[in-house]
């Protein structure tokens, strides 16, 4: 495990955060209705590995269906930065950091990061969906 402190932000810079991440442990995409729409690519960490530095007043969130996740986005620029939630099947409480909002991730780190596809559409989190090309 090689944890590294990353900084991230929305497009306008109102929302800023830090997160201790190990990109080599894997990143993910999901086929659920929300992740497909936003073309989600994220990394999941425990809440203690994430620190919101600024912009709490600029955040809003979206919930749907089971309301197991709050998908946070900047009210100013609309960029989705992270989600907070609780899903027992993936280990309980989590923060899902949007890879696209990392400010100091090296291109090679992103290219080399393993990518897992989850079948969230069917709550089959530990198995890859049959089709992933569209994700």
């Amino acid at each position: 495990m090689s944890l590294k402190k990353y900084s991230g932000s929305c497009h306008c810079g109102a929302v800023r955060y830090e997160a201790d991440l190990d990109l080599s442990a894997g990143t993910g995409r999901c086929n659920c209705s929300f992740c497909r729409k936003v073309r989600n690519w994220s990394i999941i960490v425990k809440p203690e590995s994430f620190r919101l530095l600024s912009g709490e007043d600029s955040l809003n969130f979206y919930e749907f269906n089971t309301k197991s996740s709050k998908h946070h986005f900047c009210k100013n620029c609309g960029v989705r930065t992270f989600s907070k939630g609780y899903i027992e099947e993936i280990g309980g409480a989590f923060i899902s950091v949007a890879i696209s909002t990392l400010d100091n991730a090296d291109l090679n780190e992103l290219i080399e990061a393993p990518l897992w596809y989850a079948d969230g559409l069917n709550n089959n989190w530990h198995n890859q969906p049959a089709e992933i090309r569209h994700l």
Side-chain angles (χ1 to χ4, degrees):
M1 180 188 278
S2 58
L3 282 178
K4 179 178 173 183
K5 182 167 68 173
Y6 290 90
S7 58
S9 62
C10 63
H11 187 257
C12 72
V15 177
R16 296 191 178 281
Y17 67 85
E18 286 181 344
D20 301 318
L21 308 173
D22 180 4
L23 292 175
S24 70
T27 62
R29 293 191 177 182
C30 175
N31 68 346
C32 78
S33 59
F34 181 80
C35 288
R36 280 195 329 260
K37 293 272 186 188
V38 300
R39 306 290 293 173
N40 182 51
W41 182 24
S42 61
I43 185 167
I44 294 175
V45 297
K46 288 295 187 183
E48 56 271 15
S49 295
F50 180 87
R51 295 163 300 284
L52 183 62
L53 301 177
S54 65
E56 187 168 1
D57 57 335
S58 295
L59 284 172
N60 206 341
F61 65 87
Y62 171 71
E63 288 181 294
F64 70 99
N65 196 10
T66 64
K67 301 199 183 304
S68 59
S69 298
K70 292 181 178 181
H71 304 285
H72 293 269
F73 61 92
C74 175
K75 292 187 282 188
N76 301 312
C77 66
V79 169
R80 187 184 59 82
T81 48
F82 62 94
S83 299
K84 287 183 178 181
Y86 187 94
I87 298 174
E88 191 65 41
E89 294 85 355
I90 63 170
F94 70 90
I95 303 279
S96 178
V97 176
I99 296 289
S100 61
T101 64
L102 296 176
D103 295 328
N104 62 332
D106 178 85
L107 181 59
N108 286 326
E109 289 176 302
L110 298 178
I111 292 168
E112 294 171 7
L115 181 57
W116 170 256
Y117 293 89
D119 187 9
L121 185 64
N122 299 301
N123 289 326
N124 190 10
W125 300 99
H126 297 292
N127 291 298
Q128 187 165 292
E131 182 56 69
I132 60 172
R133 292 176 294 178
H134 63 297
L135 302 175

